[in-house]
Structures are given as C-alpha cells and as structure tokens.
Amino acid sequence: AQTVTQSQPEMSVQEAETVTLSCTYDTSENNYYLFWYKQPPSRQMILVIRQEAYKQQNATENRFSVNFQKAAKSFSLKISDSQLGDTAMYFCAFMKVRAQKLVFGQGTRLTINP
Amino acid sequence: NAGVTQTPKFQVLKTGQSMTLQCAQDMNHNSMYWYRQDPGMGLRLIYYSASEGTTDKGEVPNGYNVSRLNKREFSLRLESAAPSQTSVYFCASAPLDGSLSNEQFFGPGTRLTVL
C-alpha cells in the first residue's frame, strides 16, 4: 500500500519570503501522479500543482514549483514570493496511473505573516 | 457550472441517529468519492464509485453506506451515528475518461458532529 508523509505539521514565514514544504512517499509503482492541494480556511480543496512521475522536468505553476526526486521518493513544494492568501493547509497526495484512489499526507499548516 | 455541491454544510446528530449526506456534480464525471478529514490525518477515502451502478470500499468504510443514484449524485449514509464519525466529509468527482490524469474536484465539505 502507498503511504504519504508530510513531516512538517506547521510552518510560518513572512510575506514575500520563499517557503518549501516537504513530502515523501512510499510505493513500488513506477508510474504515478503526485499532487499538492491547498485548503484555505474556507475548507475548499484546491489543486495547486501536479507532477507525472514519468516526466523528469519539475512542474511549475506561476509562483509554485516542485522538486521531484523519484529515486528518493521526495516531492517538495516551493512557494516563491509568498502572499497572505497562501495561508492554508497544504496536502501532498499520490495516485497510481489510471487508478481511482488518492492517498493523502497528513497536511502542513502554512501561515504567511504580514 | 456549480461543480461539486454538498448538502448540508453543517449537521449535529445524537449517537444512534441516522442521516444521509448528499453530493451532486454537474461536470459529467464518471467517478465520485467520499472522504473524511480528521485533524492530523489528512483525507481518507470512505467509498468510491467508478461509474453509475458501481461502488467500492475505500480505506475506512465501516459504519457507512453509499448509493450512486445516477451519474450526477452520490450519497453517503450513516445508519447509526457514533461520536467517532465526527469529522468533515468531502465529496469529490473525476472524469475517469481514460486520460492519464485523473484530477479530482472537491465539494465544499460537510462538518458533522455526533454527540
């Protein structure tokens, strides 16, 4: 069974700083997807970024980028020029290709301070 | 498009009471899911439905039943609520159309408290 671990329960940075959230996972699969979801205080789950394991290039979406290390089974999220609106819970998630189940990590509560 | 909608948004039950959480999506997605979110544990899959007429157990199915009423609707039923079922419940849907990516879209959640 796949497991996803987020070892940082809480993080706090100043506005405009760069922050990196960690995620490791355990799987015997070779092809899979990794996701970062954001959950602001409104509770709505919002997809931030997605990485296909067969792609060597790290995914980027504006200020959000990932550092995908397949051999190390590591998938960190970097937020550049952090903004107050980035304050949220962030969940790392794993899915096998064409599978139906997302496996989530425990989450990291990120606070951006003014 | 409303996306994924859930009702109710909040609910308080007494131990032993029953209730049904409703979920609907207007994106013509094939698959639908129910998750629960507890502090410090992320989201865990309760049940899912790959297509109309099919349902399968997820990680934590005990104490729950589901119905895939049609392609749009997927309900979650608690027959005899227990305090351990106090949680936030999320419904999600995904296209599952054979494409490689199977992004899931989430509803706003239902906060359920069982006293």
Side-chain angles (χ1 to χ4, degrees):
Chain A
Q2 288 76 28
T3 60
V4 178
T5 302
Q6 295 178 247
S7 58
Q8 305 152 310
E10 294 188 24
M11 296 188 71
S12 178
V13 298
Q14 296 298 120
E15 191 176 8
E17 290 184 343
T18 294
V19 60
T20 299
L21 309 183
S22 301
C23 173
T24 59
Y25 57 94
D26 185 24
T27 184
S28 59
E29 299 289 325
N30 188 48
N31 292 322
Y32 48 87
Y33 291 95
L34 295 163
F35 305 85
W36 279 99
Y37 278 89
K38 170 184 177 181
Q39 186 181 43
S42 67
R43 273 202 326 241
Q44 183 69 50
M45 294 286 286
I46 303 165
L47 179 65
V48 175
I49 200 165
R50 169 176 52 217
Q51 174 77 43
E52 292 86 349
Y54 63 88
K55 289 186 178 178
Q56 293 185 338
Q57 187 173 6
N58 288 325
T60 62
E61 288 288 342
N62 300 314
R63 298 183 294 108
F64 298 87
S65 61
V66 299
N67 183 6
F68 173 49
Q69 302 288 330
K70 191 173 184 179
K73 298 181 181 176
S74 171
F75 182 60
S76 61
L77 173 69
K78 185 171 83 170
I79 306 174
S80 303
D81 186 26
S82 58
Q83 301 174 359
L84 297 179
D86 296 333
T87 292
M89 283 288 289
Y90 287 82
F91 292 96
C92 178
F94 171 99
M95 179 189 289
K96 293 190 290 187
V97 170
R98 293 195 176 90
Q100 302 179 40
K101 303 177 186 180
L102 273 172
V103 178
F104 284 88
Q106 306 93 321
T108 296
R109 183 178 302 279
L110 176 65
T111 301
I112 309 299
N113 299 306
Chain B
N1 285 352
V4 180
T5 57
Q6 292 182 234
T7 55
K9 286 187 169 51
F10 302 92
Q11 183 71 49
V12 178
L13 293 177
K14 295 181 179 179
T15 298
Q17 287 185 318
S18 63
M19 79 159 296
T20 300
L21 281 64
Q22 305 288 352
C23 174
Q25 52 92 10
D26 62 1
M27 297 175 283
N28 200 36
H29 285 170
N30 290 308
S31 59
M32 298 185 73
Y33 310 82
W34 276 105
Y35 293 89
R36 61 177 289 172
Q37 181 180 17
D38 301 298
M41 301 188 72
L43 279 74
R44 292 181 293 167
L45 183 64
I46 304 171
Y47 271 94
Y48 65 100
S49 169
S51 61
E52 184 179 351
T54 69
T55 61
D56 285 286
K57 295 179 180 179
E59 183 183 352
V60 288
N62 291 346
Y64 304 96
N65 287 301
V66 290
S67 295
R68 184 74 183 268
L69 304 170
N70 47 55
K71 191 171 186 179
R72 290 187 63 250
E73 299 172 290
F74 188 40
S75 62
L76 178 72
R77 183 161 178 83
L78 288 70
E79 291 289 353
S80 179
S84 61
Q85 294 178 305
T86 293
S87 189
V88 179
Y89 291 85
F90 286 94
C91 178
S93 70
L96 201 64
D97 55 2
S99 61
L100 292 179
S101 176
N102 196 27
E103 177 184 345
Q104 293 187 13
F105 297 81
F106 286 81
T110 295
R111 181 176 292 279
L112 175 66
T113 302
V114 183
L115 303 175

